[in-house]
Amino acid sequence: MQSWPATPVPTLPGPADATALRLHDSATGGLLDVRPGGRTARLYVCGITPYDATHLGHAATYLAFDTLVRVWRDRGLSVDYVQNVTDIDDPLLERAARDGEDWTVVAERETALFREDMTALRVLPPTSYVGAVEAMDEIAAYVVRLLDAGAAYRVDDDLYFSVAAAEHFGRVSSYDSATMLQLAAERGGDPDRTGKKDALDPLLWRAARPGEPAWDSPLGPGRPGWHVECAAIALNRLGSGFDVQGGGSDLVFPHHEMSAAHGEVGSGAWPFARAYAHAGMVGLDGEKMSKSRGNLVFVSRLREAGVDTGALRLALLDGHYRSDREWSDSSLRAGEQRLAAWRAGAARARGPAGSALLAALRAALADDLDTPTALRAVDAWCATAGDDETAPALAADAVDALLGVSLR
Ligand code: 5CA
Ligand code: ZN
């Protein structure tokens, strides 16, 4: 699938990797050093289900992983970054049916809008952007692999994965079984379906139903379950033991638990990912922003209203990526004021030493992507007088490269 264009990233001076890059890992509950073994970092971030436009919750999550990409790149690493598009799944079919539209038209339109939103927000594109539909053959082949490994079984004509086949099942979320059951029911699972070996076992392949799209495969005509889509797309491009699997915290269970279990059994290697990083949920009026709740603030609407995407970026980066956050109009106003102050600071003829600011930004971001601390370091630099003539240009480059905001 076509990705989106990359905004140029300035190269910054000096050693960027003096300290460990620590990221919170949901599986261990602690901070892990996510410096890759070689010169390439491998990242998989779960992509959108394109049935509605990009809202600020999506934007915040993709900005969190964009920050990680920028920190890795500042350390001289190349980043092998894979992101999927769940362009066939129940929510998409339901939305298209509700609106009397063709599901492929909805998926294409909303994916195109997402690309525009990401471009406008200066989010660096993945190196591989892969739709489930275009990856159908490899996903089906992966299901065959799980079947051959003895980890899949039939319920009527559908295929399920046996969680009992995954030795490390439960290590991503560490949730107890009551929590797992409840979340599976809320997030696309079917714990109440009769005939399953374990209520948590997730669907791998849904046999064709009248009126539903289906693809021919060695498993018979049908379509894949959600988790195996990400397991196959990630493993086939990154191999197992890739550095970071990312997404919002609503993906910890079942999605990342199940895709790790599929990945482990299908590859015969553990772990699927070295770290599982999760962004907090952005809410509005006390509720998680979600398509099903309909309480959404869309990036595209704000853009149409003339909002500067740099201000939007700063508004979202003002909260730590891991904390659940509330969006309000004042968040945007604060982002706009900050952007104006930063632009004025960078337009000065002189300022306090740029190298100290750069070191402060690098240190903050290496500490679990602490963007609030990074933002305050730039605030302080802008509010302080200095006589370094090279500082304004270096500050602008640092803010551009590490925080993705253009001050020019
Ligand atoms: N296609 C699947 C992943 S394979 C999916 O979850 N799609 S999504 O469109 O529902 O969400 C895309 C990303 O945005 C996911 O990482 C999800 O965790 C994140 N996300 C969704 N709602 C919010 C929110 N309110 N705040 C922060 N992140 C969110
Ligand atoms: Zn996913």
Side-chain angles (χ1 to χ4, degrees):
M1 202 176 245
Q2 188 197 336
S3 189
W4 58 89
T7 3
V9 181
T11 305
L12 301 174
D17 53 359
T19 48
L21 169 51
R22 299 187 319 154
L23 193 68
H24 186 269
D25 167 41
S26 301
T28 52
L31 296 176
L32 281 188
D33 185 354
V34 291
R35 280 186 288 194
R39 299 309 299 161
T40 303
R42 293 174 296 159
L43 172 68
Y44 186 89
V45 177
C46 282
I48 54 162
T49 304
Y51 68 91
D52 217 338
T54 320
H55 60 64
L56 292 181
H58 300 134
T61 291
Y62 295 110
L63 279 183
F65 294 101
D66 187 52
T67 309
L68 175 61
V69 170
R70 288 170 180 277
V71 171
W72 268 332
R73 286 183 48 161
D74 181 42
R75 290 169 173 243
L77 301 165
S78 56
V79 184
D80 212 345
Y81 177 7
V82 180
Q83 189 178 126
N84 69 310
V85 181
T86 308
D87 57 0
I88 178 66
D89 204 2
D90 293 344
L92 175 61
L93 297 177
E94 284 158 16
R95 174 61 60 96
R98 188 198 79 176
D99 296 347
E101 288 195 280
D102 181 332
W103 64 273
T104 60
V105 172
V106 177
E108 269 173 40
R109 182 182 63 225
E110 301 307 335
T111 306
L113 190 57
F114 177 74
R115 286 192 195 97
E116 284 173 26
D117 289 337
M118 291 296 107
T119 308
L121 280 168
R122 304 174 102 232
V123 171
L124 296 171
T127 37
S128 300
Y129 194 44
V130 187
V133 169
E134 68 182 348
M136 198 52 74
D137 289 347
E138 65 175 279
I139 300 170
Y142 198 86
V143 175
V144 171
R145 224 201 279 182
L146 294 175
L147 197 58
D148 292 345
Y153 63 93
R154 286 195 185 273
V155 177
D156 305 323
D157 289 333
D158 301 329
L159 268 175
Y160 279 83
F161 176 78
S162 177
V163 294
E167 188 187 341
H168 301 278
F169 179 74
R171 295 261 188 107
V172 174
S173 66
S174 302
Y175 292 156
D176 60 32
S177 54
T179 307
M180 286 185 180
L181 279 170
Q182 187 192 331
L183 291 177
E186 287 171 12
R187 297 174 180 167
D190 55 1
D192 296 329
R193 180 160 182 186
T194 48
K196 296 205 307 184
K197 291 182 181 169
D198 185 314
L200 291 173
D201 289 349
L203 183 72
L204 283 173
W205 191 258
R206 177 177 162 90
R209 308 286 202 275
E212 282 188 13
W215 287 262
D216 283 330
S217 82
L219 311 152
R223 59 185 168 98
W226 174 27
H227 318 303
V228 72
E229 167 192 338
C230 285
I233 291 174
L235 270 185
N236 288 338
R237 285 159 190 79
L238 298 174
S240 64
F242 60 90
D243 293 291
V244 175
Q245 156 78 305
S249 59
D250 57 341
L251 299 187
V252 173
F253 193 91
H255 187 52
H256 287 172
E257 190 76 72
M258 295 301 179
S259 48
H262 294 337
E264 175 195 337
V265 173
S267 68
W270 183 86
F272 177 61
R274 291 173 55 212
Y276 297 86
H278 293 105
M281 290 292 112
V282 174
L284 184 72
D285 303 328
E287 290 217 67
K288 171 190 160 189
M289 215 179 265
S290 78
K291 298 175 221 188
S292 46
R293 285 193 178 87
N295 60 341
L296 306 176
V297 180
F298 294 116
V299 173
S300 44
R301 295 262 170 79
L302 294 176
R303 287 201 287 124
E304 278 162 25
V307 168
D308 188 315
T309 49
L312 185 51
R313 241 187 125 101
L314 290 180
L316 291 168
L317 293 175
D318 191 28
H320 192 271
Y321 81 94
R322 281 214 291 135
S323 51
D324 292 338
R325 281 164 283 157
E326 280 290 307
W327 178 260
S328 69
D329 290 343
S330 64
S331 323
L332 185 56
R333 277 197 299 275
E336 285 169 340
Q337 279 166 10
R338 183 171 247 151
L339 182 62
W342 286 17
R343 287 198 168 138
R348 294 180 292 177
R350 297 175 182 77
S355 53
L357 172 63
L358 177 56
L361 288 180
R362 281 175 169 154
L365 297 177
D367 181 16
D368 199 21
L369 310 176
D370 185 353
T371 55
T373 298
L375 266 52
R376 284 196 299 271
V378 182
D379 292 342
W381 182 86
C382 290
T384 313
D387 56 10
D388 182 345
E389 288 176 8
T390 63
L394 179 54
D397 277 353
V399 166
D400 188 344
L402 294 170
L403 298 171
V405 176
S406 172
L407 300 182
R408 294 191 166 95

